[in-house]
């Protein structure tokens, strides 16, 4: 009798939590590894080889760059969530078309 949101937060999310935490840890480890390879091999040339993590790092290295780093981090989160929602939308659409 519970609604979909209540089912999600009381049943699905607690059952999926170990996988979510493992994904967060692995994603963080992967991003740290990619950061080192990118800054070492490609450098950080603004407008050419600068990636979002390198821009965040550069902002943190400048005085009073914390605000810019926070904005770039929020942009990164929004881009990630948008990509996830878009992929889920496409997946749902494909499932409906296969029925």
């Amino acid at each position: 009798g519970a609604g979909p949101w209540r089912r999600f937060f009381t049943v699905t999310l607690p059952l999926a939590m170990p996988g979510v935490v493992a994904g967060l840890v692995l994603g963080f480890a992967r991003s740290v590894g990619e950061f080192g390879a990118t800054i070492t091999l490609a450098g950080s040339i603004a407008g050419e080889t600068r990636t979002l993590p390198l821009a965040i790092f550069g902002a943190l290295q400048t005085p009073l760059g914390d605000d810019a780093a926070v904005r770039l981090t929020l942009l990164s989160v929004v881009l990630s969530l948008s990509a996830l929602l878009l992929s889920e939308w496409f997946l749902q659409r494909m499932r409906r078309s296969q029925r």
Side-chain angles (χ1 to χ4, degrees), residues 3 7-8 12 19-20 34 54 56 73 75 82-83 85 89-90:
R7 283 191 314 256
F8 175 75
T12 305
V20 171
E34 286 298 317
L54 292 178
I56 294 169
T73 302
L75 174 65
S82 298
L85 291 173
W89 180 74
F90 278 125

Side-chain angles (χ1 to χ4, degrees), residues 8-96:
F8 175 75
F9 284 110
T10 59
V11 178
T12 305
L13 189 59
L15 288 173
M17 193 55 71
V20 171
V21 171
L24 288 171
V25 170
L26 289 173
F28 176 76
R30 175 75 178 175
S31 68
V32 170
E34 286 298 317
F35 172 79
T38 304
I39 201 163
T40 302
L41 299 176
S44 183
I45 302 168
E48 289 187 32
T49 62
R50 182 165 290 174
T51 61
L52 195 53
L54 292 178
I56 294 169
F57 177 74
L60 288 173
Q61 298 302 312
T62 60
L64 303 174
D66 293 342
D67 290 339
V70 168
R71 285 193 301 271
L72 290 170
T73 302
L74 290 175
L75 174 65
S76 176
V77 169
V78 167
L79 287 173
S80 299
L81 288 175
S82 298
L84 178 65
L85 291 173
L86 187 64
S87 69
E88 286 297 318
W89 180 74
F90 278 125
L91 184 62
Q92 290 291 348
R93 192 170 174 190
M94 287 176 51
R95 285 181 183 161
R96 278 189 229 139

